Amino acid sequence: MINVLIVEDDPMARQLLEIYINTSEKYNHIQSVESAALAEFCCRTNKVDVVLMDVCTAMNASGLDAAEKIKKSFPDTKVIIITSQPECSFIDRAHKVGVDSFWYKSSAAEEILSVLDRTMAGEQVYPESAPSLKLGNTFSENLTDRELEVLRELVAGESDAAIAEKLFMSLRTVKGHIQSMREKTGFRNRTELAVRARESGLIINNK
Amino acid sequence: MIGFCDLHYAVKSIFLVVTFVAVCSSICLLPRVFSRKKLMPKLLVPLCFLLSGAMLILFAAQVKSAHPSWHISPIIESVTELPVILPILLLLAVITTLLTIVIKEIKFEKNSITRSSVKESLDSLNTGLCFAYKNGMVMLINHRMNNLSHTIFGRNLQNVNAFWENLSNGEIQSGVTRLSMGANPSLRLPDERVWTFSRKVIDGITQLTAAETTKLNKLTEELKEKNAELTVMNERLRKYGENVDKLTREKERLETKVRIHRELGQALLLTRRYLQVDSDNTQELLNILKRNIAMLRLESESLKNDEPLIMLMKAAHSAGIEVLITGQTPKQEDANRLFFEAATEALTNAVRHADAKKLCVELTEDDKAYFVYFTNDGSKPQNKIVEGGGLGSLRLKTEQIGGTMEVLYQPEFVLKITVPKKRGDVL
C-alpha cells in the first residue's frame, strides 16, 4: 500500500480527498493536516510515500515552500500539488522546487487518482499550460512576465516607488508597465487593475 | 585789468557759491579717492580742496570788507586786486578736475566690483544672506535677511549663532509658524510665504542663507497628502486581498459541493448500470457505494478547522509527541502566524535533532510585546546551534515584522521569539 499524506486547509475538500484515497485499493491515507507548515514534520514522523498538497493552506503556509523542504529532506517522497487557483506563477514555481506533479482540484476522483498512479509510476504530470484567465479586455497570456511581476507587487499594496526599488527598475518603467496593463485590460486605474487581478485568481501573493 | 574787488556784488556772490560747491564736492570725494589704489586722484582732490577753500576764504573776506567795521589785511587786498580772470581760470580748472574725477568714479562704480557693489547686489537678492565670524558677529548681511529677522523676531539680526538657536527654540512674533526644525528650519511668515534657513561654515566663516520655499512646501504638503491617501488605499488593497482569500475559500467550498453532487449523480448512474447488466465486478461496485456513502456523510457533517495550536498538538500526538501549551495565543495576526510557524519548526527540530517526546510552548505578553518560549525534553545540544534553512528563515520572518529571535543551547535548548505589539494592540 502506498501511504498518502493530505495537506489541505478546506475541511470539505480535505475529507473529499480522504474519501478518494480510502475507497481506492492501492492507497492508504495515513494523515491529514490543515497547514503545509506541518507537512515536513509529518513526513519525518511517518512513512509517507506521496503528499497531496494544496498551495494555499492554513496559517498562510505555502504548499510550494513546504514541497521544497520535503523534496530536500525526503527526495524519494513524491509531492503532488493540487490547487483550485489559476495563479500564473504556481506551475513555474512547482517545477523549480521539484514538485513531481501539479493538478487542479476541480478534477473528478478518477482523474486525481490517475494523477496519483502516474506520479507513483515515475511520471511528472503537469497541465500543458497555465489556465487562460480573462482580465478586462485581455487574457492573462497577453501580459508579459515583467508586467506580471509589477502586477504582483501592485496587488500586494506596494506603491510605485516601492515596486521600482523591489524589482530594480526605474519609477518611469514601473509606471510604464502599469499604463501598458491598463491599456490592455481597459481598466480605469491601478486600483481597479489590482483588484481585478486578485479577484480573478491570476495573482495570489505570499504563496 | 578788472580785479575781483571791482566786480558787481551779484557776480561776486555767484563766484563764491560756485567756489563753495567746489569745496563741498572735493570734501565728498576725499574718502572715495583715498579708498582707491590710484595715486593721481589722491593728489588732485586735496589740491582742489585747498585751492577752492583758499579762494572761498580770501574772496569771502573781501566781500565782508565792504562793511565799515571790517578791516581787511593788505595781503587779501592785494590778491583781490589781481585780474579776475586768474581766479576764474583757477576755479574752472578745479571744477573740471573734480568733474573728471566724479565721472571716472561713476564709471568705476558701474564697471568694477567694489565693496558697495557687493553689498548692493546682495541687497537686491531675493534670498536672505548673512556672513558672520565664528562668534556669530555679523560680517555682511543683506536687506532680505534683516527683514526676515525683523519679521520673525521683531529685531535686526545681531548675532548669527543666537539667531540660529532662536529659529528652533526662541520666541517668535505672532503670525509666524514653525513648520519644520532640524538641519534646515522652515517657518511660515504672516504673509503665508515659507522660508527655509540653512547654515554652513566655510573656512571659519558662517554662512546663513534663507530661501523662499513656499511653492516647494506647498508641493511637498500635497505630495504628503497624496502619499497618505495612497498608503490608505494600498492598505485597503491589502485587506481586500485577505477578504478575497476568504471569498475564494467559500467559492472553492461551493465548487467542492458541486463536485460532490456531480460525483454522487455519476455514482448512482453507475450503480444502476451495474444492477441492470448484472455485472460480476462487485468489488468496483462496492468501492463506488462506499464512496457514495462517505460523500453523503460528508455533506451532512458540519466541517470546521481546528485552532492552529490544536492542529499542531494533533499532528504531534499522532507521532507520539506531547505538546504542552501554556498561555494565550496572540490576538495580533502576524504574531499568531509567526508563533505557529515557530512551533512547527521547534517541533520538527525537537524530533530531528533531540529525539524529544515532549515540546513545551510558553506564551506570554506584556504591554509592549508578545513572547513565546520553546523547550523540549530531548537530548541537550553540546554545541552552539547553527541556524540552517528552517531557523534562518524563521529569523528573517521575525525580523521582517520587527521582532527578535534568540536561540540558546545552554543549559538547554530554548527558542525565544518576541514580537512587538502594534499600536492598536497595545493596552
Side-chain angles (χ1 to χ4, degrees):
Chain A
M1 292 286 267
I2 296 164
N3 290 334
V4 184
L5 169 70
I6 294 170
V7 184
E8 167 64 62
D9 67 328
D10 178 49
M12 191 171 272
R14 187 171 63 241
Q15 292 205 14
L16 195 61
L17 286 172
E18 286 171 10
I19 291 168
Y20 294 165
I21 301 299
N22 286 333
T23 52
S24 75
E25 287 163 5
K26 284 186 225 166
Y27 300 102
N28 173 38
H29 167 241
I30 55 159
Q31 200 174 358
S32 289
V33 285
E34 292 96 322
S35 173
L38 290 164
E40 191 195 356
F41 171 76
C42 294
C43 289
R44 204 165 282 287
T45 51
N46 294 287
K47 190 195 167 293
V48 178
D49 298 308
V50 60
V51 183
L52 263 179
M53 185 153 56
D54 192 4
V55 180
C56 310
T57 69
M59 297 306 284
N60 215 27
S62 161
L64 290 165
D65 287 347
E68 190 174 11
K69 283 185 187 173
I70 292 168
K71 291 306 283 182
K72 266 185 194 165
S73 305
F74 311 97
D76 294 336
T77 303
K78 304 282 184 192
V79 177
I80 301 172
I81 292 288
I82 43 162
T83 180
S84 58
Q85 307 287 350
E87 222 280 5
C88 50
S89 69
F90 283 176
I91 295 179
D92 286 345
R93 186 128 189 259
H95 268 298
K96 270 183 201 159
V97 301
V99 165
D100 296 278
S101 293
F102 186 102
W103 210 249
Y104 291 104
K105 245 191 262 183
S106 53
S107 314
E110 282 69 27
E111 207 174 340
I112 289 176
L113 289 171
S114 157
V115 172
L116 260 169
D117 291 343
R118 286 163 66 190
T119 307
M120 292 316 292
E123 195 181 336
Q124 281 208 328
V125 189
Y126 273 80
E128 282 179 11
S129 60
S132 177
L133 292 173
K134 192 161 183 350
L135 193 64
N137 302 332
T138 193
F139 287 91
S140 52
E141 61 269 26
N142 295 331
L143 301 180
T144 65
D145 289 349
R146 211 60 174 146
E147 283 172 349
L148 286 170
E149 280 179 49
V150 172
L151 188 56
R152 184 173 304 283
E153 299 306 325
L154 202 65
V155 171
E158 298 287 357
S159 66
D160 290 358
I163 297 171
E165 198 183 329
K166 211 167 177 180
L167 299 180
F168 304 105
M169 358 173 130
S170 70
L171 192 60
R172 189 185 285 251
T173 313
V174 172
K175 286 181 190 292
H177 282 312
I178 294 172
Q179 180 63 26
S180 161
M181 286 189 279
R182 277 179 51 204
E183 279 167 12
K184 285 178 188 174
T185 56
F187 294 138
R188 285 166 299 171
N189 51 46
R190 65 199 293 285
T191 311
E192 190 180 4
L193 177 66
V195 167
R196 299 288 171 232
R198 184 63 190 82
E199 274 179 350
S200 69
L202 177 66
I203 302 291
I204 299 166
N205 280 317
N206 307 321
K207 293 293 181 294
Chain B
M1 292 290 276
I2 299 169
F4 180 79
C5 55
D6 303 324
L7 291 174
H8 187 266
Y9 186 77
V11 179
K12 283 181 186 171
S13 300
I14 291 166
F15 186 87
L16 285 174
V17 167
V18 173
T19 315
F20 179 74
V21 170
V23 171
C24 292
S25 304
S26 52
I27 290 170
C28 289
L29 278 170
L30 273 172
R32 278 183 171 269
V33 293
F34 276 97
S35 68
R36 302 276 178 265
K37 285 179 182 173
K38 283 186 178 176
L39 183 65
M40 196 55 82
K42 282 182 186 170
L43 294 172
L44 288 174
V45 174
L47 186 65
C48 290
F49 169 69
L50 289 173
L51 288 172
S52 54
M55 280 195 291
L56 185 65
I57 291 163
L58 288 171
F59 296 127
Q62 197 281 326
V63 171
K64 193 77 180 171
S65 69
H67 197 273
S69 61
W70 184 268
H71 297 288
I72 193 167
S73 85
I75 301 163
I76 295 171
E77 202 174 336
S78 60
V79 170
T80 55
E81 281 173 1
L82 284 170
V84 77
I85 193 73
L86 288 174
I88 288 172
L89 284 175
L90 196 63
L91 188 60
L92 279 173
V94 167
I95 290 168
T96 311
T97 309
L98 290 175
L99 273 175
T100 312
I101 291 169
V102 166
I103 289 164
K104 279 190 176 176
E105 273 298 309
I106 290 168
K107 277 188 180 174
F108 183 78
E109 287 284 338
K110 276 188 177 176
N111 302 326
S112 311
I113 296 172
T114 59
R115 285 183 179 195
S116 54
S117 62
V118 169
K119 177 77 172 85
E120 196 185 326
S121 60
L122 288 188
D123 284 340
S124 65
L125 279 176
N126 190 36
T127 305
L129 195 62
C130 177
F131 294 95
Y133 296 103
K134 208 173 181 180
N135 61 4
M137 203 173 78
V138 174
M139 187 190 279
L140 177 64
I141 186 168
N142 72 348
H143 284 329
R144 173 65 66 191
M145 187 61 91
N146 247 335
N147 289 342
L148 285 171
S149 174
H150 226 272
T151 313
I152 297 167
F153 301 114
R155 57 181 181 271
N156 282 344
L157 198 159
Q158 303 286 341
N159 186 298
V160 165
N161 296 345
F163 178 85
W164 185 257
E165 283 296 313
N166 289 336
L167 277 178
S168 302
N169 311 313
E171 197 179 320
I172 51 175
Q173 297 283 91
S174 65
V176 180
T177 321
R178 287 189 176 96
L179 296 178
S180 69
M181 293 300 107
N184 297 103
S186 291
L187 291 97
R188 181 181 281 128
L189 305 189
D191 62 0
E192 291 300 312
R193 291 163 83 182
V194 176
W195 289 86
T196 301
F197 294 84
S198 66
R199 191 172 65 158
K200 203 173 173 182
V201 178
I202 310 161
D203 295 333
I205 305 291
T206 307
Q207 176 190 278
L208 181 71
T209 54
E212 198 202 334
T213 52
T214 313
K215 276 186 184 172
L216 183 72
N217 192 66
K218 198 181 167 192
L219 287 172
T220 311
E221 277 177 9
E222 280 176 12
L223 196 67
K224 268 186 194 168
E225 276 175 24
K226 279 186 180 170
N227 278 343
E229 278 174 24
L230 206 62
T231 308
V232 170
M233 199 177 277
N234 285 341
E235 183 58 22
R236 281 171 61 192
L237 202 61
R238 197 185 60 74
K239 286 200 170 147
Y240 174 79
E242 285 174 6
N243 288 335
V244 169
D245 277 343
K246 285 179 195 162
L247 282 172
T248 310
R249 269 190 219 108
E250 288 301 317
K251 200 177 149 195
E252 208 175 294
R253 187 166 289 186
L254 196 67
E255 279 171 5
T256 311
K257 283 186 177 179
V258 170
R259 208 163 81 217
I260 291 170
H261 279 266
R262 197 177 63 218
E263 294 210 9
L264 278 174
Q266 282 175 353
L268 285 172
L269 280 172
L270 273 170
T271 313
R272 201 171 132 197
R273 206 183 72 203
Y274 272 106
L275 291 172
Q276 279 174 349
V277 296
D278 199 17
S279 171
D280 289 335
N281 195 351
T282 49
Q283 185 57 46
E284 195 179 349
L285 182 61
L286 187 65
N287 283 346
I288 290 169
L289 287 172
K290 270 164 73 181
R291 197 189 295 170
N292 252 338
I293 292 160
M295 280 181 179
L296 285 167
R297 271 189 191 153
L298 174 63
E299 272 224 294
S300 62
E301 281 173 16
S302 167
L303 301 166
K304 241 180 153 183
N305 268 343
D306 290 323
E307 286 300 310
L309 287 175
I310 304 296
M311 281 184 221
L312 181 93
M313 283 171 85
K314 279 185 179 175
H317 183 72
S318 69
I321 296 160
E322 191 184 358
V323 179
L324 291 175
I325 300 167
T326 53
Q328 296 292 313
T329 50
K331 287 175 195 161
Q332 197 171 298
E333 201 181 339
D334 56 357
N336 196 22
R337 281 182 184 170
L338 184 79
F339 286 1
F340 175 74
E341 198 172 333
T344 60
E345 188 61 32
L347 182 64
T348 308
N349 286 343
V351 173
R352 191 176 173 188
H353 301 296
D355 197 21
K357 294 289 170 207
K358 194 192 281 180
L359 175 75
C360 299
V361 184
E362 191 188 338
L363 295 151
T364 57
E365 65 180 283
D366 64 14
D367 289 350
K368 290 178 182 170
Y370 294 104
F371 308 91
V372 66
Y373 301 85
F374 299 98
T375 51
N376 63 61
D377 66 346
S379 54
K380 293 178 182 23
Q382 299 301 309
N383 301 308
K384 196 178 173 186
I385 310 287
V386 178
E387 290 180 23
L391 284 175
S393 158
L394 193 62
R395 181 178 289 283
L396 195 72
K397 284 178 183 170
T398 307
E399 285 167 0
Q400 271 172 355
I401 60 168
T404 55
M405 184 177 115
E406 278 182 76
V407 184
L408 308 174
Y409 70 102
Q410 277 179 343
E412 61 173 350
F413 170 83
V414 181
L415 171 64
K416 180 189 170 188
I417 295 178
T418 307
V419 175
K421 284 184 175 176
K422 285 180 184 165
R423 195 176 292 171
D425 221 27
V426 174
L427 295 170

